[in-house]
Amino acid sequence: MLKSKTWRLAAILMLISDWSQCIKSEESTVDPPENIGIDDPGHLGPLYIHWTAPASLTNLTACSMRYHLEYFNTYQSRWTVIRTVRTWYRAQFDLEKEVRVRISTLLKGACTNGTELKSPFTEMVLPPNNTVGSRVQGFGCVFYQKEFMECTWETGLEEPTQSQHSLYFWHQEMEKAEECPQYIHSNGVRTGCKFTEESLPEFSDFNICINSSSPKVVLRSAFFSLQIQNYVKPAAIETVHLEASPDRRLQVQWDLPNERIPRHCLEYEVEAREEGVGGQQLLQRNITNEMTLTSLSMDGAQRKCFRVRSRMHHYCADRGFWSDWSRWSCHSDTESDVVVGCAVVIGIIISMLILSLFGWALWRKWKAREGEMMPFGPLHKLMECSKGLSARSHFIKTRDNQ
């Protein structure tokens, strides 16, 4: 009985070994895709990757065939994996960097005993468009209130002042790339481009290429790809309302400007500033999805001021720009104002008393000095003149008597 079990176990192990060898043999016969190619349709980033099935598997009917595609995503610095039954794929690339693509064949079915087999990779690498020469720098875009977008740049470090820049753009609703509809100039040089809302689709790649030309030095093109919903800057909030409740708490509310951004796509930052005896002090900043903020106590403050700004919420965009701050809106505590007013009045009265006493003291001192200087003044001269006249009259009378 023991020998019979041993024999059966050995038979099973031999079958497993034979099956493994069969699979390895089958795997070695799976060939990679052929005729791989990468075409540039002139859309400033998207490339068309295509290939054909291996010739050895053209007439295969007992198995299904798929393809394992990998390409290096330079925007995310990692490999992106795609599995498809098609013999083509379209992907976005940064044309200033190397394009790397690799493809293998996946085979599964009766011909592989239900196991999926994978061929070696076929790889293709394309060098960047150009790597020599200066390029523009400081590129950035802002989508103002979802009404228009401005993209600006600066001249490259090695570019001469007379170099010329041209911007081209493309998105999926366009048949071919077009030049900037309205350039922005600074000192006669192109430093930006303005786009209207009609040419700005959201949640799709918006590709830009800036070419530079100069008769003196070699310049290279710069490529950029945007999702424009991530570059929105809302308009500044114009009005902030403050209302105090009987329990000495404040409610802050604000009105939105008239713009195309949906209200649910905005979040707000409220900055509070306290003004007290110790001077101005920044209290806190609060971020909220509502258009009101409550339960802000006035305790310990003579005056509180608030301002608000907004930006796109992460429900509607991955990121965005904060709007400019609204103007400060302030609320004064009435009781504190009365105390401060009384203190100011008392201070003024005391100051006036002190000044009056000081002035009276100066006047007394001046009068005292005037009394001491009187013998040498006009009254003394008058008395001397009277004495002279009396003496002269006495002399005349004495002479007449003689």
Side-chain angles (χ1 to χ4, degrees):
M1 185 70 178
L2 181 62
K3 290 182 178 179
S4 176
K5 289 183 178 181
T6 303
W7 180 84
R8 289 178 181 177
L9 179 62
I12 291 173
L13 291 174
M14 290 178 64
L15 287 173
I16 292 174
S17 176
D18 292 342
W19 179 77
S20 300
Q21 293 296 326
C22 179
I23 293 299
K24 289 181 180 178
S25 175
E26 289 288 344
E27 183 175 3
S28 63
T29 62
V30 179
D31 294 325
E34 299 175 357
N35 303 316
I36 183 173
I38 301 176
D39 297 334
D40 185 357
H43 295 163
L44 312 179
L47 298 180
Y48 181 73
I49 308 166
H50 55 89
W51 60 92
T52 60
S56 59
L57 302 177
T58 301
N59 298 321
L60 188 66
T61 57
C63 278
S64 62
M65 186 165 49
R66 297 189 301 164
Y67 303 98
H68 179 98
L69 167 68
E70 297 182 5
Y71 66 91
F72 191 76
N73 189 328
T74 55
Y75 299 107
Q76 302 177 1
S77 299
R78 64 180 181 86
W79 287 92
T80 298
V81 178
I82 303 295
R83 289 195 171 187
T84 178
V85 296
R86 297 177 300 185
T87 57
W88 61 270
Y89 189 77
R90 186 173 177 269
Q92 175 78 21
F93 291 90
D94 183 353
L95 300 184
E96 291 188 77
K97 299 179 180 179
E98 189 177 65
V99 176
R100 298 175 61 187
V101 175
R102 55 194 185 192
I103 312 174
S104 65
T105 306
L106 300 175
L107 197 63
K108 184 178 180 179
C111 66
T112 63
N113 294 323
T115 301
E116 186 171 66
L117 303 181
K118 182 180 179 181
S119 75
F121 278 113
T122 295
E123 188 169 0
M124 187 171 188
V125 178
L126 295 180
N129 277 358
N130 49 11
T131 59
V132 180
S134 179
R135 67 189 288 275
V136 296
Q137 58 182 355
F139 179 83
C141 297
V142 180
F143 192 11
Y144 293 97
Q145 300 99 51
K146 284 194 172 184
E147 295 178 0
F148 66 94
M149 183 171 73
E150 289 185 352
C151 295
T152 57
W153 59 83
E154 299 175 358
T155 302
L157 297 177
E158 300 177 3
E159 288 190 41
T161 56
Q162 68 271 22
S163 60
Q164 183 71 11
H165 304 106
S166 299
L167 181 145
Y168 295 89
F169 69 101
W170 180 89
H171 53 77
Q172 62 182 4
E173 297 179 5
M174 301 171 60
E175 294 184 1
K176 60 180 182 179
E178 297 180 4
E179 191 171 0
C180 167
Q182 182 180 347
Y183 283 107
I184 301 172
H185 294 83
S186 176
N187 297 323
V189 178
R190 293 175 179 175
T191 57
C193 178
K194 182 176 181 179
F195 302 90
T196 58
E197 190 272 339
E198 289 77 11
S199 61
L200 298 172
E202 299 182 34
F203 300 99
S204 64
D205 293 325
F206 189 88
N207 298 326
I208 292 175
C209 173
I210 302 178
N211 292 327
S212 303
S213 59
S214 173
K216 294 185 178 181
V217 297
V218 177
L219 303 175
R220 60 190 177 98
S221 302
F223 292 87
F224 308 93
S225 184
L226 314 175
Q227 293 274 328
I228 65 169
Q229 73 276 0
N230 296 328
Y231 294 84
V232 175
K233 182 177 181 179
I237 293 172
E238 297 178 355
T239 307
V240 178
H241 306 281
L242 303 179
E243 183 178 352
S245 60
D247 59 353
R248 294 172 56 80
R249 293 183 180 276
L250 286 176
Q251 185 179 56
V252 187
Q253 295 179 321
W254 50 91
D255 300 328
L256 291 181
N258 185 17
E259 58 184 2
R260 299 183 180 181
I261 304 175
R263 182 171 297 183
H264 69 272
C265 283
L266 291 175
E267 64 178 355
Y268 311 94
E269 184 177 29
V270 182
E271 184 177 88
R273 186 183 71 189
E274 181 181 293
E275 297 180 4
V277 178
Q280 296 181 0
Q281 180 182 1
L282 182 64
L283 290 181
Q284 59 184 348
R285 287 183 176 180
N286 296 284
I287 294 181
T288 177
N289 298 332
E290 305 296 330
M291 292 181 59
T292 180
L293 192 64
T294 57
S295 299
L296 296 171
S297 176
M298 283 293 296
D299 293 339
Q302 296 176 5
R303 197 161 96 134
K304 277 190 175 180
C305 300
F306 301 88
R307 61 179 183 175
V308 186
R309 63 179 181 175
S310 63
R311 72 175 174 185
M312 292 286 287
H313 196 277
H314 66 270
Y315 295 145
C316 300
D318 294 333
R319 59 185 181 274
F321 296 103
W322 282 109
S323 70
D324 295 332
W325 285 104
S326 68
R327 295 181 179 180
W328 287 102
S329 183
C330 300
H331 180 84
S332 299
D333 186 1
T334 305
E335 295 181 5
S336 298
D337 287 348
V338 171
V339 173
V340 173
C342 291
V344 171
V345 171
I346 292 172
I348 292 173
I349 292 173
I350 292 174
S351 299
M352 290 179 66
L353 288 174
I354 292 174
L355 288 173
S356 298
L357 290 172
F358 182 71
W360 182 78
L362 288 178
W363 181 80
R364 288 294 301 262
K365 186 175 181 180
W366 176 78
K367 292 298 290 183
R369 290 185 60 186
E370 186 181 44
E372 293 176 358
M373 295 175 62
M374 190 61 69
F376 305 97
L379 184 58
H380 177 72
K381 292 183 178 180
L382 182 60
M383 292 174 65
E384 290 292 333
C385 183
S386 298
K387 288 180 180 180
L389 290 173
S390 298
R392 183 178 180 83
S393 176
H394 177 72
F395 172 76
I396 292 173
K397 288 181 178 180
T398 303
R399 186 184 61 181
D400 293 340
N401 292 333
Q402 292 179 353

